[in-house]
């Protein structure tokens, strides 16, 4: 599991980690059944307070991404409920958007500009759909 | 549960200069607290008063439930301290200093000692006087943690450590706070270290505690980096 921490950002470390693990589940970099490091292992590896890691795992377990099997560790959950999964995917998308917003702020891009960029990229998406349809005709 | 550190209306003046102004601070057992403050804010004075190394002008300090001026030998054995200015017996060899310190504590962990000596590259056969500042700091940390104190107080422990040693030290701190009842208080100027390992932050300015609370809450509330939150907090106090 590859995780990066930016201690000097405004986002709490627990949220940074939860967002990254969630994204990796969505992107299938973490597959159902994969074992994730124990709280203690991950805390030591990242040099991050154990309670912080514990919060991350508790939160992701509550969201249906991870499950703890008594005595054998914490795993990526095999079958998140359909609704839970959608919620979780939305959560992951939100997390990515949050990161994008933060990056935009760092680059000095205003909210309006960001909106425009978002609309533009959605327009591009639609355009390519149209083109795909045309070429198939 | 008894708080690990309990400070009530603590005031300390040096001549006409007041170093601490009516400080109240209660640190729950099991917390890892980072203490922030500009130079001269009173961090070291607060730590020394809390430890009973300085007599307060007024107010009380209790450690592990006991008044710090009448601390029992049992409580002292559960207390670890790394001062800002390290003073170790310069004529001893490192090996001797470790053995000497170990002889005072029934709870000395030889396995942990050996591991840290190895990982931190501590030269056992050198005289303490020949060590660099960073090596002395490592040695002071080692001798303060090896008897596994319930309460560990460190005054700028990472200040003289190189990046690799600092990382190793942070990993050690994380490992040490594993048993939920162990409490750590450390002062630092390195915000990123604090954010990694602390779950609470205490901020000081001009002898007062201007903030004490959970780091997560602070970030959720302000959406600011710790550095910005700290600067804003200082500004807010300065502007009244």
């Amino acid at each position: 599991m590859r995780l990066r921490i930016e201690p000097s950002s405004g986002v709490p470390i627990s949220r940074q980690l939860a967002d990254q693990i969630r994204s990796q589940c969505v992107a299938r970099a973490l597959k159902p059944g994969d074992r994730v490091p124990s709280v203690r292992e991950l805390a030591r590896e990242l040099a991050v307070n154990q309670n912080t890691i514990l919060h991350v795992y508790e939160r992701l377990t509550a969201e249906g991404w991870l499950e703890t099997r008594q005595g054998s560790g914490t795993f990526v959950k095999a079958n998140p409920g359909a609704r839970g999964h959608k919620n979780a995917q939305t959560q992951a998308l939100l997390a990515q958007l949050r990161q994008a917003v933060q990056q935009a702020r760092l680059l000095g891009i205003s909210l309006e500009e960001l909106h425009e960029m978002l609309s533009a990229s959605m327009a591009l998406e639609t355009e390519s759909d149209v083109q795909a349809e045309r070429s198939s005709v | 549960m008894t708080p690990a550190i309990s400070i009530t209306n603590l005031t300390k003046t040096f001549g006409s200069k007041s170093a601490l102004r009516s400080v109240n601070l209660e640190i729950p057992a099991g917390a890892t607290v980072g203490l922030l403050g500009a130079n001269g804010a009173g961090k070291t004075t607060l730590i020394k008063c809390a430890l009973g190394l300085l007599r307060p002008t007024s107010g009380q300090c209790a450690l592990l439930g006991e008044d710090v001026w009448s601390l029992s030998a049992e409580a002292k054995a559960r207390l670890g301290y790394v001062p800002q200015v390290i003073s170790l017996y310069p004529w001893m060899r490192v090996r001797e200093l470790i053995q000497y310190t170990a002889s005072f504590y029934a709870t000395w962990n030889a396995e942990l000692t050996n591991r840290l000596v190895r990982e931190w590259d501590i030269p056992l056969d050198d005289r303490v006087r020949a060590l660099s500042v960073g090596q002395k700091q490592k040695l002071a940390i080692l001798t303060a943690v090896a008897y596994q104190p319930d309460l560990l107080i460190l005054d700028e422990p990472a200040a003289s450590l190189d990046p690799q040693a600092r990382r190793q030290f942070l990993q050690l701190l994380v490992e040490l706070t594993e048993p939920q009842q162990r409490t750590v208080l450390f002062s630092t100027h390195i915000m990123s270290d604090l954010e990694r390992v602390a779950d609470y932050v205490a901020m000081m300015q001009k002898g007062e505690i201007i903030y004490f609370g959970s780091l997560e809450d602070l970030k959720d509330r302000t959406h600011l980096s710790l550095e910005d939150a700290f600067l804003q907090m200082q500004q807010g106090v300065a502007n009244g």
Side-chain angles (χ1 to χ4, degrees), chain B residues 43-119:
Chain B
K43 302 186 295 293
T44 297
T45 307
L46 178 66
I47 284 175
K48 286 192 169 170
C49 285
L51 282 163
L53 298 173
L54 274 178
R55 190 182 274 282
T57 306
S58 64
Q60 278 91 39
C61 300
L63 290 188
L64 303 164
E66 296 183 16
D67 185 87
V68 78
W69 279 102
S70 47
L71 217 52
S72 65
E74 290 77 22
K76 281 180 186 161
R78 293 167 59 205
L79 195 63
Y81 171 48
V82 179
Q84 193 173 21
V85 181
I86 314 274
S87 53
L88 303 164
Y89 300 113
W91 65 88
M92 281 193 187
R93 291 192 194 280
V94 171
R95 186 189 306 281
E96 293 163 350
L97 183 86
I98 292 175
Q99 284 167 352
Y100 174 73
T101 315
S103 68
F104 288 99
Y105 297 96
T107 52
W108 190 269
N109 184 334
E111 200 183 314
L112 177 65
T113 308
N114 294 336
R115 207 192 84 205
L116 291 179
V117 164
R118 207 171 46 243
E119 286 179 5

Side-chain angles (χ1 to χ4, degrees), chain B residues 13-240:
Chain B
T13 54
F14 295 105
S16 61
K17 187 179 172 287
S18 78
L20 298 174
R21 303 157 197 255
S22 192
V23 169
N24 288 289
L25 184 64
E26 190 159 293
I27 295 178
T32 306
V33 184
L35 179 60
L36 283 179
N39 296 326
K43 302 186 295 293
T44 297
T45 307
L46 178 66
I47 284 175
K48 286 192 169 170
C49 285
L51 282 163
L53 298 173
L54 274 178
R55 190 182 274 282
T57 306
S58 64
Q60 278 91 39
C61 300
L63 290 188
L64 303 164
E66 296 183 16
D67 185 87
V68 78
W69 279 102
S70 47
L71 217 52
S72 65
E74 290 77 22
K76 281 180 186 161
R78 293 167 59 205
L79 195 63
Y81 171 48
V82 179
Q84 193 173 21
V85 181
I86 314 274
S87 53
L88 303 164
Y89 300 113
W91 65 88
M92 281 193 187
R93 291 192 194 280
V94 171
R95 186 189 306 281
E96 293 163 350
L97 183 86
I98 292 175
Q99 284 167 352
Y100 174 73
T101 315
S103 68
F104 288 99
Y105 297 96
T107 52
W108 190 269
N109 184 334
E111 200 183 314
L112 177 65
T113 308
N114 294 336
R115 207 192 84 205
L116 291 179
V117 164
R118 207 171 46 243
E119 286 179 5
W120 290 8
D121 246 336
I122 293 179
L124 287 175
D125 295 315
D126 286 11
R127 299 261 181 214
V128 169
R129 90 163 72 79
L131 300 182
S132 72
V133 180
Q135 284 174 317
K136 278 184 189 150
Q137 196 155 31
K138 287 186 198 173
L139 186 57
I141 293 168
L142 185 151
T143 53
V145 304
Y147 55 94
Q148 309 173 89
D150 289 333
L151 172 60
L152 183 60
I153 298 180
L154 311 116
D155 200 353
E156 296 203 33
S160 319
L161 300 181
D162 61 53
Q164 194 202 346
R166 229 180 76 211
R167 175 82 180 192
Q168 287 172 326
F169 164 68
L170 293 180
Q171 283 174 323
L172 173 70
L173 264 196
V174 166
E175 186 186 324
L176 287 173
T177 50
E178 222 157 74
Q180 300 284 322
Q181 68 278 21
R182 180 168 291 141
T183 313
V184 178
L185 171 68
F186 68 104
S187 70
T188 186
H189 287 294
I190 309 168
M191 308 257 178
S192 59
D193 287 358
L194 192 157
E195 287 191 61
R196 278 176 181 276
V197 302
D199 38 26
Y200 288 86
V201 57
M203 297 180 184
M204 286 192 83
Q205 184 177 29
K206 294 186 181 151
E208 289 178 85
I209 299 275
I210 54 171
Y211 179 83
F212 177 71
S214 132
L215 194 56
E216 194 106 339
D217 285 353
L218 180 71
K219 285 207 155 188
D220 272 336
R221 219 156 35 85
T222 60
H223 298 287
L224 292 173
S225 69
L226 182 61
E227 189 165 357
D228 290 341
F230 178 47
L231 291 174
Q232 213 170 73
M233 210 75 80
Q234 284 183 311
Q235 207 91 53
V237 172
N239 296 339

